Amino acid sequence: MSLNDRKKRILKAIINAYIETGEPVGSKTVLSRENFGLSAATVRNEMSDLENEGFLIQPHTSAGRVPSSLGFRFYVENVLTERKLSESERAAIRDKIAADCNRLDRFMHRVASVTAEITGCAALSFIPAIRDSRILMFETALVNRYVTAVVVICESGAVKSAVYRSEQEVTAKDVVTLSKILNVNLTGIPLSEIGQIRIMLVKAELTRHCPAFGRLSDVIRDMIAELLEYDVAVGGEGKVFSFADFQDIEKARRIYALLQSKEELLRLGRLIESSRQNVIIGGDEGLGQLDGVSILASPYLFGGRRAMLAAVAPLRINYARMISSLEYITSLITNYMNCEGGSDGARDR
């Protein structure tokens, strides 16, 4: 749906005022924000038209208007202007995001946590599975006589760990043997090529040489399956309870529960990916459980594959600053993943 320039300017003024105050916006507020050269009556008529067309909502008969989901959608797609981050804002983000690029799992969780801190919203870091990544090594450690820790490290930087509890007593010698069997049989092989036959071979070797680890092959299989998934790290999920617009505590709890479910988050990632939109408003694209929420996403390439950083935000958010912040963070991620030390070769946002 298209709007003429006058309606666009009025809608922009209303949404900017609403983002700042959270209060319904009347014609006097619109006129005070910009010199439209119009009478209050003309502005009220235009606001009435915008309401009839679905861009505005009038909460109370005598109150001003607030933007609808359609209004926010139109604002993001047709009205919003780019906002460049200041040098001090970029420097603050660089300082917070700096981290070790050698541990992908820790780094991506840190990115999600820092993004949540910077934006004040829950943050999601979607990490693409790199199916042709090879296993570099397995590391094992004896925790106690019955518990053994196993860590698999991939050339992509992905790391996965698990703890195995044996029914039999385990010795330090058993753990050394375990490490040798895993490294001989599974390292140097692309994750996608480690099938059931190779897992069965590992199981036979473990049963023969250290029976205490006979069932560990199932754990190894599950670790590899998780490494092949499109993974997600979450940061700041508790921030949904601090959104001023979420006065319905049950709604906040539902969103919080969604952020706690890896299955639901991966589904959300697929929906964002398929929508090809960097901003999803309200219950768009089959996201009814997120009605009243904006999902802002910044895609980027990681290992030649499409990755994504996203924020779960209230509808009333500074979209220009949020989008610029997410894009700048993903630029820094790309630099770090190339081990460029986070230099400010990132896009100037």
Side-chain angles (χ1 to χ4, degrees):
M1 185 179 295
S2 61
L3 295 176
N4 60 38
D5 288 342
R6 188 162 74 182
K7 281 189 171 65
K8 283 182 183 179
R9 291 173 62 201
I10 291 174
L11 180 63
K12 179 181 179 180
I14 292 170
I15 292 181
N16 286 339
Y18 180 69
I19 287 173
E20 291 176 14
T21 68
E23 299 293 333
V25 180
S27 57
K28 289 183 179 180
T29 301
V30 173
L31 289 169
S32 70
R33 297 185 68 88
E34 186 176 344
N35 181 16
F36 287 95
L38 303 172
S39 67
T42 300
V43 171
R44 284 195 294 271
N45 287 335
E46 294 285 26
M47 292 173 67
S48 179
D49 288 345
L50 288 168
E51 181 183 354
N52 292 333
E53 293 167 356
F55 294 97
L56 299 176
I57 298 171
Q58 189 171 27
H60 309 289
T61 304
S62 59
R65 271 81 167 185
V66 300
S68 66
S69 293
L70 178 62
F72 275 114
R73 161 61 56 200
F74 187 88
Y75 172 81
V76 169
E77 292 184 346
N78 301 280
V79 179
L80 191 65
T81 55
E82 182 180 11
R83 177 193 184 281
K84 291 187 176 181
L85 298 178
S86 68
E87 173 52 33
S88 62
E89 288 174 317
R90 294 199 304 272
I93 292 174
R94 288 198 303 273
D95 289 344
K96 290 180 181 297
I97 217 76
D100 181 6
C101 69
N102 293 321
R103 279 295 301 271
L104 177 61
D105 57 340
R106 290 179 182 174
F107 181 62
M108 300 312 288
H109 278 86
R110 176 171 173 76
V111 164
S113 176
V114 172
T115 300
E117 181 182 350
I118 291 169
T119 63
C121 302
L124 309 173
S125 179
F126 292 95
I127 310 164
I130 303 180
R131 301 180 64 84
D132 55 355
S133 177
R134 300 172 187 271
I135 294 177
L136 288 180
M137 70 175 72
F138 282 88
E139 293 183 351
T140 58
L142 185 62
V143 178
N144 61 43
R145 291 179 300 169
Y146 295 93
V147 177
T148 303
V150 180
V151 179
V152 57
I153 303 170
C154 300
E155 63 183 0
S156 66
V159 178
K160 189 69 67 173
S161 60
V163 174
Y164 175 77
R165 181 176 293 276
S166 170
E167 296 178 356
Q168 303 177 37
E169 191 169 323
V170 176
T171 67
K173 183 179 179 180
D174 290 332
V175 174
V176 171
T177 302
L178 168 65
S179 181
K180 289 180 179 178
I181 290 173
L182 295 178
N183 282 296
V184 167
N185 288 282
L186 297 175
T187 57
I189 302 171
L191 290 168
S192 58
E193 295 182 12
I194 300 177
Q196 187 60 29
I197 294 177
R198 191 169 291 275
I199 295 296
M200 292 296 291
L201 175 63
V202 169
K203 182 175 183 178
E205 289 281 299
L206 292 175
T207 302
R208 183 181 306 114
H209 296 290
C210 39
F213 295 119
R215 293 183 294 106
L216 182 61
S217 59
D218 294 337
V219 175
I220 300 300
R221 180 197 59 210
D222 292 343
M223 292 172 73
I224 292 171
E226 290 178 9
L227 286 166
L228 286 169
E229 288 182 354
Y230 190 66
D231 207 353
V232 59
V234 187
E237 52 267 57
K239 292 183 181 296
V240 298
F241 293 106
S242 64
F243 289 173
D245 296 347
F246 283 6
Q247 297 180 7
D248 182 349
I249 191 65
E250 289 304 317
K251 181 175 185 178
R253 284 175 177 165
R254 286 196 298 272
I255 295 172
Y256 180 81
L258 180 146
L259 294 174
Q260 295 292 302
S261 170
K262 182 175 179 179
E263 181 179 348
E264 286 298 313
L265 289 175
L266 292 176
R267 174 176 170 269
L268 174 60
R270 290 191 290 271
L271 284 170
I272 297 172
E273 179 74 19
S274 63
S275 74
R276 295 295 175 181
Q277 295 176 350
N278 291 348
V279 180
I280 294 178
I281 302 293
D284 290 356
E285 305 296 336
L287 298 175
Q289 70 271 47
L290 293 177
D291 184 39
V293 174
S294 294
I295 307 293
L296 297 94
S298 179
Y300 62 99
L301 291 180
F302 174 78
R305 297 174 183 270
R306 184 179 168 95
M308 183 167 51
L309 184 66
V312 180
L315 287 178
R316 189 167 63 87
I317 196 77
N318 186 327
Y319 287 91
R321 186 181 186 283
M322 179 74 78
I323 291 169
S324 294
S325 296
L326 289 175
E327 290 182 347
Y328 186 66
I329 292 169
T330 55
S331 294
L332 291 177
I333 294 172
T334 302
N335 287 344
Y336 278 117
M337 289 298 98
N338 290 329
C339 291
E340 295 174 6
S343 60
D344 200 21
R347 286 169 292 186
D348 183 19
R349 292 283 181 184

Short mmCIF file of all heavy atoms in Angstrom, two decimals, residues 194-247:
data_model
loop_
_atom_site.label_atom_id
_atom_site.label_comp_id
_atom_site.label_asym_id
_atom_site.label_seq_id
_atom_site.Cartn_x
_atom_site.Cartn_y
_atom_site.Cartn_z
N ILE A 194 30.72 -38.68 8.79
CA ILE A 194 30.80 -39.61 9.93
C ILE A 194 29.43 -40.24 10.12
O ILE A 194 28.55 -39.68 10.77
CB ILE A 194 31.26 -38.88 11.21
CG1 ILE A 194 32.64 -38.27 10.99
CG2 ILE A 194 31.29 -39.85 12.39
CD1 ILE A 194 33.16 -37.47 12.16
N GLY A 195 29.25 -41.40 9.54
CA GLY A 195 27.97 -42.08 9.56
C GLY A 195 27.91 -43.17 10.60
O GLY A 195 28.82 -43.36 11.41
N GLN A 196 26.82 -43.94 10.56
CA GLN A 196 26.57 -44.96 11.56
C GLN A 196 27.61 -46.07 11.52
O GLN A 196 27.99 -46.62 12.57
CB GLN A 196 25.17 -45.56 11.35
CG GLN A 196 24.72 -46.51 12.44
CD GLN A 196 24.65 -45.85 13.80
OE1 GLN A 196 24.42 -44.65 13.91
NE2 GLN A 196 24.87 -46.63 14.86
N ILE A 197 28.11 -46.39 10.33
CA ILE A 197 29.10 -47.47 10.23
C ILE A 197 30.36 -47.10 11.00
O ILE A 197 30.93 -47.93 11.75
CB ILE A 197 29.43 -47.78 8.76
CG1 ILE A 197 28.20 -48.36 8.07
CG2 ILE A 197 30.61 -48.74 8.66
CD1 ILE A 197 28.39 -48.64 6.60
N ARG A 198 30.83 -45.87 10.85
CA ARG A 198 32.05 -45.45 11.55
C ARG A 198 31.81 -45.39 13.07
O ARG A 198 32.69 -45.73 13.85
CB ARG A 198 32.53 -44.10 11.02
CG ARG A 198 33.93 -43.71 11.50
CD ARG A 198 34.45 -42.53 10.74
NE ARG A 198 34.74 -42.85 9.36
CZ ARG A 198 35.90 -43.38 8.94
NH1 ARG A 198 36.85 -43.64 9.81
NH2 ARG A 198 36.08 -43.63 7.67
N ILE A 199 30.62 -44.97 13.46
CA ILE A 199 30.29 -44.95 14.89
C ILE A 199 30.28 -46.38 15.44
O ILE A 199 30.75 -46.63 16.57
CB ILE A 199 28.93 -44.27 15.14
CG1 ILE A 199 28.99 -42.78 14.75
CG2 ILE A 199 28.50 -44.43 16.58
CD1 ILE A 199 29.95 -41.96 15.60
N MET A 200 29.76 -47.32 14.68
CA MET A 200 29.76 -48.72 15.11
C MET A 200 31.18 -49.26 15.24
O MET A 200 31.48 -50.06 16.14
CB MET A 200 28.96 -49.56 14.11
CG MET A 200 27.47 -49.27 14.11
SD MET A 200 26.66 -49.68 15.67
CE MET A 200 26.77 -51.48 15.62
N LEU A 201 32.06 -48.82 14.35
CA LEU A 201 33.47 -49.23 14.42
C LEU A 201 34.09 -48.72 15.72
O LEU A 201 34.82 -49.45 16.41
CB LEU A 201 34.23 -48.68 13.22
CG LEU A 201 35.75 -48.93 13.20
CD1 LEU A 201 36.05 -50.42 13.16
CD2 LEU A 201 36.38 -48.22 12.00
N VAL A 202 33.79 -47.47 16.06
CA VAL A 202 34.30 -46.90 17.31
C VAL A 202 33.75 -47.68 18.51
O VAL A 202 34.48 -47.98 19.46
CB VAL A 202 33.92 -45.41 17.42
CG1 VAL A 202 34.20 -44.87 18.82
CG2 VAL A 202 34.69 -44.60 16.38
N LYS A 203 32.48 -48.03 18.46
CA LYS A 203 31.87 -48.78 19.55
C LYS A 203 32.56 -50.13 19.74
O LYS A 203 32.83 -50.56 20.88
CB LYS A 203 30.38 -48.99 19.28
CG LYS A 203 29.65 -49.73 20.40
CD LYS A 203 28.16 -49.79 20.11
CE LYS A 203 27.44 -50.49 21.29
NZ LYS A 203 25.98 -50.52 21.07
N ALA A 204 32.85 -50.80 18.63
CA ALA A 204 33.52 -52.10 18.71
C ALA A 204 34.91 -51.95 19.33
O ALA A 204 35.33 -52.78 20.16
CB ALA A 204 33.62 -52.72 17.32
N GLU A 205 35.64 -50.90 18.93
CA GLU A 205 36.98 -50.66 19.48
C GLU A 205 36.91 -50.37 20.99
O GLU A 205 37.72 -50.88 21.77
CB GLU A 205 37.63 -49.48 18.76
CG GLU A 205 38.04 -49.77 17.33
CD GLU A 205 39.35 -50.55 17.29
OE1 GLU A 205 40.37 -50.02 17.78
OE2 GLU A 205 39.33 -51.69 16.81
N LEU A 206 35.94 -49.58 21.39
CA LEU A 206 35.81 -49.25 22.81
C LEU A 206 35.42 -50.49 23.62
O LEU A 206 35.95 -50.71 24.72
CB LEU A 206 34.74 -48.16 22.99
CG LEU A 206 35.09 -46.77 22.45
CD1 LEU A 206 33.90 -45.83 22.58
CD2 LEU A 206 36.29 -46.19 23.18
N THR A 207 34.51 -51.29 23.10
CA THR A 207 34.08 -52.50 23.81
C THR A 207 35.24 -53.46 23.99
O THR A 207 35.38 -54.11 25.04
CB THR A 207 32.94 -53.18 23.04
OG1 THR A 207 31.85 -52.26 22.88
CG2 THR A 207 32.46 -54.42 23.76
N ARG A 208 36.12 -53.52 22.98
CA ARG A 208 37.26 -54.45 23.02
C ARG A 208 38.34 -53.99 23.99
O ARG A 208 38.89 -54.79 24.76
CB ARG A 208 37.85 -54.61 21.62
CG ARG A 208 39.01 -55.63 21.55
CD ARG A 208 39.59 -55.75 20.14
NE ARG A 208 38.57 -56.05 19.16
CZ ARG A 208 38.19 -55.22 18.19
NH1 ARG A 208 38.78 -54.03 18.08
NH2 ARG A 208 37.27 -55.56 17.34
N HIS A 209 38.66 -52.69 23.96
CA HIS A 209 39.82 -52.22 24.70
C HIS A 209 39.50 -51.57 26.05
O HIS A 209 40.35 -51.56 26.95
CB HIS A 209 40.60 -51.22 23.84
CG HIS A 209 41.16 -51.83 22.60
ND1 HIS A 209 42.20 -52.74 22.61
CD2 HIS A 209 40.80 -51.69 21.30
CE1 HIS A 209 42.47 -53.11 21.37
NE2 HIS A 209 41.64 -52.49 20.55
N CYS A 210 38.31 -50.99 26.20
CA CYS A 210 37.93 -50.41 27.50
C CYS A 210 36.41 -50.49 27.64
O CYS A 210 35.70 -49.54 27.29
CB CYS A 210 38.44 -48.99 27.66
SG CYS A 210 38.37 -47.95 26.19
N PRO A 211 35.93 -51.64 28.12
CA PRO A 211 34.48 -51.90 28.21
C PRO A 211 33.70 -50.84 28.98
O PRO A 211 32.49 -50.68 28.75
CB PRO A 211 34.42 -53.25 28.92
CG PRO A 211 35.74 -53.89 28.63
CD PRO A 211 36.73 -52.77 28.58
N ALA A 212 34.36 -50.11 29.88
CA ALA A 212 33.65 -49.09 30.65
C ALA A 212 33.06 -48.01 29.74
O ALA A 212 32.11 -47.32 30.11
CB ALA A 212 34.60 -48.45 31.66
N PHE A 213 33.61 -47.88 28.54
CA PHE A 213 33.14 -46.86 27.60
C PHE A 213 32.29 -47.46 26.46
O PHE A 213 32.12 -46.85 25.42
CB PHE A 213 34.32 -46.12 26.98
CG PHE A 213 35.11 -45.31 27.97
CD1 PHE A 213 36.44 -45.58 28.20
CD2 PHE A 213 34.50 -44.29 28.69
CE1 PHE A 213 37.17 -44.84 29.12
CE2 PHE A 213 35.22 -43.54 29.61
CZ PHE A 213 36.56 -43.82 29.84
N GLY A 214 31.71 -48.62 26.70
CA GLY A 214 30.96 -49.30 25.65
C GLY A 214 29.81 -48.49 25.10
O GLY A 214 29.48 -48.58 23.92
N ARG A 215 29.16 -47.68 25.96
CA ARG A 215 28.00 -46.89 25.51
C ARG A 215 28.38 -45.46 25.12
O ARG A 215 27.51 -44.67 24.75
CB ARG A 215 26.94 -46.85 26.62
CG ARG A 215 26.31 -48.20 26.90
CD ARG A 215 25.21 -48.10 27.97
NE ARG A 215 25.78 -47.73 29.27
CZ ARG A 215 25.65 -46.54 29.82
NH1 ARG A 215 25.01 -45.57 29.18
NH2 ARG A 215 26.18 -46.27 31.00
N LEU A 216 29.66 -45.13 25.18
CA LEU A 216 30.08 -43.77 24.87
C LEU A 216 29.88 -43.42 23.39
O LEU A 216 29.74 -42.25 23.03
CB LEU A 216 31.56 -43.58 25.25
CG LEU A 216 32.15 -42.19 25.02
CD1 LEU A 216 31.41 -41.15 25.85
CD2 LEU A 216 33.63 -42.17 25.33
N SER A 217 29.84 -44.44 22.54
CA SER A 217 29.66 -44.17 21.11
C SER A 217 28.35 -43.43 20.84
O SER A 217 28.26 -42.62 19.92
CB SER A 217 29.70 -45.48 20.31
OG SER A 217 28.68 -46.36 20.74
N ASP A 218 27.31 -43.71 21.66
CA ASP A 218 26.04 -42.99 21.50
C ASP A 218 26.21 -41.51 21.81
O ASP A 218 25.62 -40.64 21.14
CB ASP A 218 24.97 -43.60 22.41
CG ASP A 218 24.60 -45.01 22.03
OD1 ASP A 218 24.80 -45.38 20.85
OD2 ASP A 218 24.12 -45.75 22.91
N VAL A 219 27.02 -41.20 22.81
CA VAL A 219 27.29 -39.81 23.17
C VAL A 219 28.04 -39.12 22.04
O VAL A 219 27.72 -37.98 21.67
CB VAL A 219 28.11 -39.75 24.48
CG1 VAL A 219 28.49 -38.31 24.80
CG2 VAL A 219 27.32 -40.37 25.63
N ILE A 220 29.03 -39.79 21.46
CA ILE A 220 29.80 -39.23 20.35
C ILE A 220 28.89 -38.96 19.16
O ILE A 220 28.97 -37.92 18.51
CB ILE A 220 30.95 -40.18 19.95
CG1 ILE A 220 31.90 -40.40 21.13
CG2 ILE A 220 31.69 -39.63 18.74
CD1 ILE A 220 32.55 -39.16 21.66
N ARG A 221 28.01 -39.91 18.87
CA ARG A 221 27.05 -39.73 17.76
C ARG A 221 26.20 -38.49 17.97
O ARG A 221 25.99 -37.69 17.05
CB ARG A 221 26.16 -40.97 17.66
CG ARG A 221 25.12 -40.92 16.53
CD ARG A 221 24.04 -41.95 16.76
NE ARG A 221 23.38 -41.72 18.04
CZ ARG A 221 22.84 -42.68 18.79
NH1 ARG A 221 22.90 -43.94 18.42
NH2 ARG A 221 22.25 -42.36 19.94
N ASP A 222 25.70 -38.30 19.20
CA ASP A 222 24.86 -37.14 19.49
C ASP A 222 25.66 -35.84 19.40
O ASP A 222 25.14 -34.81 18.93
CB ASP A 222 24.24 -37.28 20.88
CG ASP A 222 23.22 -38.41 20.97
OD1 ASP A 222 22.77 -38.87 19.90
OD2 ASP A 222 22.91 -38.84 22.09
N MET A 223 26.91 -35.84 19.83
CA MET A 223 27.75 -34.65 19.75
C MET A 223 27.94 -34.23 18.30
O MET A 223 27.85 -33.05 17.95
CB MET A 223 29.11 -34.90 20.41
CG MET A 223 29.04 -35.08 21.92
SD MET A 223 30.62 -35.61 22.63
CE MET A 223 31.57 -34.08 22.50
N ILE A 224 28.19 -35.20 17.44
CA ILE A 224 28.40 -34.91 16.02
C ILE A 224 27.11 -34.41 15.39
O ILE A 224 27.11 -33.47 14.58
CB ILE A 224 28.93 -36.15 15.30
CG1 ILE A 224 30.36 -36.45 15.78
CG2 ILE A 224 28.91 -35.96 13.78
CD1 ILE A 224 30.92 -37.76 15.32
N ALA A 225 25.98 -35.00 15.78
CA ALA A 225 24.68 -34.55 15.25
C ALA A 225 24.43 -33.10 15.64
O ALA A 225 23.92 -32.30 14.84
CB ALA A 225 23.57 -35.45 15.78
N GLU A 226 24.78 -32.72 16.87
CA GLU A 226 24.59 -31.33 17.30
C GLU A 226 25.50 -30.38 16.54
O GLU A 226 25.11 -29.25 16.23
CB GLU A 226 24.85 -31.23 18.81
CG GLU A 226 23.79 -31.91 19.65
CD GLU A 226 24.10 -31.84 21.13
OE1 GLU A 226 25.05 -31.13 21.51
OE2 GLU A 226 23.40 -32.51 21.91
N LEU A 227 26.71 -30.82 16.22
CA LEU A 227 27.62 -29.98 15.45
C LEU A 227 27.12 -29.74 14.04
O LEU A 227 27.48 -28.75 13.39
CB LEU A 227 29.02 -30.61 15.41
CG LEU A 227 29.83 -30.51 16.71
CD1 LEU A 227 31.02 -31.46 16.66
CD2 LEU A 227 30.28 -29.09 16.96
N LEU A 228 26.28 -30.63 13.53
CA LEU A 228 25.75 -30.50 12.18
C LEU A 228 24.49 -29.63 12.14
O LEU A 228 23.99 -29.33 11.06
CB LEU A 228 25.43 -31.89 11.61
CG LEU A 228 26.65 -32.72 11.19
CD1 LEU A 228 26.24 -34.16 10.91
CD2 LEU A 228 27.32 -32.11 9.97
N GLU A 229 23.97 -29.26 13.30
CA GLU A 229 22.77 -28.44 13.34
C GLU A 229 23.08 -26.97 13.09
O GLU A 229 24.20 -26.51 13.23
CB GLU A 229 22.08 -28.56 14.71
CG GLU A 229 21.41 -29.89 14.95
CD GLU A 229 20.71 -29.92 16.30
OE1 GLU A 229 20.87 -28.94 17.06
OE2 GLU A 229 20.02 -30.90 16.57
N TYR A 230 22.01 -26.23 12.74
CA TYR A 230 22.06 -24.77 12.69
C TYR A 230 21.88 -24.31 14.12
O TYR A 230 20.80 -24.37 14.69
CB TYR A 230 20.92 -24.27 11.80
CG TYR A 230 20.95 -22.82 11.42
CD1 TYR A 230 21.97 -22.33 10.61
CD2 TYR A 230 19.95 -21.95 11.83
CE1 TYR A 230 21.98 -21.00 10.23
CE2 TYR A 230 19.96 -20.62 11.44
CZ TYR A 230 20.97 -20.15 10.64
OH TYR A 230 20.99 -18.84 10.26
N ASP A 231 22.95 -23.93 14.79
CA ASP A 231 22.93 -23.70 16.22
C ASP A 231 22.54 -22.26 16.54
O ASP A 231 22.56 -21.40 15.67
CB ASP A 231 24.30 -24.02 16.83
CG ASP A 231 24.19 -24.44 18.29
OD1 ASP A 231 23.08 -24.35 18.84
OD2 ASP A 231 25.21 -24.85 18.85
N VAL A 232 22.21 -22.00 17.79
CA VAL A 232 21.82 -20.65 18.21
C VAL A 232 22.30 -20.40 19.62
O VAL A 232 22.23 -21.27 20.48
CB VAL A 232 20.28 -20.47 18.11
CG1 VAL A 232 19.54 -21.46 18.98
CG2 VAL A 232 19.89 -19.04 18.47
N ALA A 233 22.84 -19.21 19.84
CA ALA A 233 23.22 -18.75 21.17
C ALA A 233 22.29 -17.62 21.56
O ALA A 233 21.92 -16.79 20.73
CB ALA A 233 24.68 -18.28 21.17
N VAL A 234 21.88 -17.58 22.82
CA VAL A 234 20.90 -16.59 23.30
C VAL A 234 21.54 -15.73 24.38
O VAL A 234 22.29 -16.23 25.22
CB VAL A 234 19.64 -17.28 23.88
CG1 VAL A 234 18.58 -16.26 24.22
CG2 VAL A 234 19.11 -18.31 22.91
N GLY A 235 21.25 -14.45 24.36
CA GLY A 235 21.72 -13.56 25.40
C GLY A 235 20.62 -12.61 25.84
O GLY A 235 19.81 -12.17 25.03
N GLY A 236 20.56 -12.32 27.13
CA GLY A 236 19.62 -11.31 27.63
C GLY A 236 18.17 -11.66 27.52
O GLY A 236 17.32 -10.77 27.41
N GLU A 237 17.83 -12.97 27.59
CA GLU A 237 16.42 -13.34 27.43
C GLU A 237 15.53 -12.74 28.52
O GLU A 237 14.36 -12.47 28.31
CB GLU A 237 16.25 -14.87 27.38
CG GLU A 237 16.90 -15.63 28.52
CD GLU A 237 18.30 -16.10 28.19
OE1 GLU A 237 19.14 -15.25 27.85
OE2 GLU A 237 18.54 -17.31 28.26
N GLY A 238 16.11 -12.50 29.70
CA GLY A 238 15.33 -11.92 30.79
C GLY A 238 14.92 -10.48 30.54
O GLY A 238 14.05 -9.94 31.25
N LYS A 239 15.50 -9.84 29.53
CA LYS A 239 15.19 -8.44 29.25
C LYS A 239 13.76 -8.26 28.77
O LYS A 239 13.24 -7.14 28.79
CB LYS A 239 16.18 -7.87 28.23
CG LYS A 239 17.60 -7.73 28.79
CD LYS A 239 18.53 -7.08 27.79
CE LYS A 239 19.95 -6.98 28.34
NZ LYS A 239 20.03 -6.08 29.52
N VAL A 240 13.11 -9.34 28.31
CA VAL A 240 11.72 -9.19 27.85
C VAL A 240 10.82 -8.74 28.99
O VAL A 240 9.77 -8.13 28.76
CB VAL A 240 11.18 -10.50 27.22
CG1 VAL A 240 11.98 -10.86 25.99
CG2 VAL A 240 11.17 -11.63 28.23
N PHE A 241 11.22 -9.01 30.23
CA PHE A 241 10.39 -8.60 31.37
C PHE A 241 10.56 -7.11 31.69
O PHE A 241 9.80 -6.57 32.49
CB PHE A 241 10.74 -9.43 32.61
CG PHE A 241 10.38 -10.88 32.47
CD1 PHE A 241 11.35 -11.84 32.28
CD2 PHE A 241 9.05 -11.28 32.52
CE1 PHE A 241 11.01 -13.18 32.15
CE2 PHE A 241 8.70 -12.62 32.39
CZ PHE A 241 9.68 -13.58 32.21
N SER A 242 11.57 -6.48 31.09
CA SER A 242 11.79 -5.05 31.37
C SER A 242 11.26 -4.16 30.25
O SER A 242 11.35 -2.94 30.35
CB SER A 242 13.29 -4.78 31.56
OG SER A 242 14.01 -5.04 30.37
N PHE A 243 10.69 -4.74 29.19
CA PHE A 243 10.12 -3.93 28.12
C PHE A 243 8.93 -3.15 28.68
O PHE A 243 7.97 -3.73 29.19
CB PHE A 243 9.65 -4.80 26.96
CG PHE A 243 10.75 -5.43 26.15
CD1 PHE A 243 10.46 -6.35 25.16
CD2 PHE A 243 12.08 -5.12 26.38
CE1 PHE A 243 11.47 -6.95 24.41
CE2 PHE A 243 13.09 -5.70 25.65
CZ PHE A 243 12.79 -6.61 24.66
N ALA A 244 8.99 -1.84 28.57
CA ALA A 244 7.93 -1.00 29.12
C ALA A 244 6.58 -1.31 28.49
O ALA A 244 5.54 -1.18 29.14
CB ALA A 244 8.28 0.47 28.91
N ASP A 245 6.58 -1.73 27.23
CA ASP A 245 5.31 -1.98 26.53
C ASP A 245 4.69 -3.32 26.92
O ASP A 245 3.54 -3.58 26.58
CB ASP A 245 5.53 -1.95 25.01
CG ASP A 245 5.96 -0.57 24.53
OD1 ASP A 245 5.84 0.38 25.33
OD2 ASP A 245 6.42 -0.45 23.39
N PHE A 246 5.44 -4.19 27.60
CA PHE A 246 4.93 -5.51 27.95
C PHE A 246 4.29 -5.47 29.34
O PHE A 246 4.84 -5.98 30.31
CB PHE A 246 6.05 -6.54 27.92
CG PHE A 246 6.44 -6.98 26.55
CD1 PHE A 246 5.89 -6.39 25.43
CD2 PHE A 246 7.36 -7.99 26.35
CE1 PHE A 246 6.25 -6.78 24.16
CE2 PHE A 246 7.74 -8.39 25.08
CZ PHE A 246 7.17 -7.78 23.98
N GLN A 247 3.15 -4.85 29.42
CA GLN A 247 2.45 -4.80 30.70
C GLN A 247 1.72 -6.11 30.98
O GLN A 247 1.35 -6.40 32.12
CB GLN A 247 1.48 -3.63 30.72
CG GLN A 247 2.19 -2.28 30.60
CD GLN A 247 1.23 -1.11 30.60
OE1 GLN A 247 0.04 -1.29 30.82
NE2 GLN A 247 1.75 0.08 30.36
#
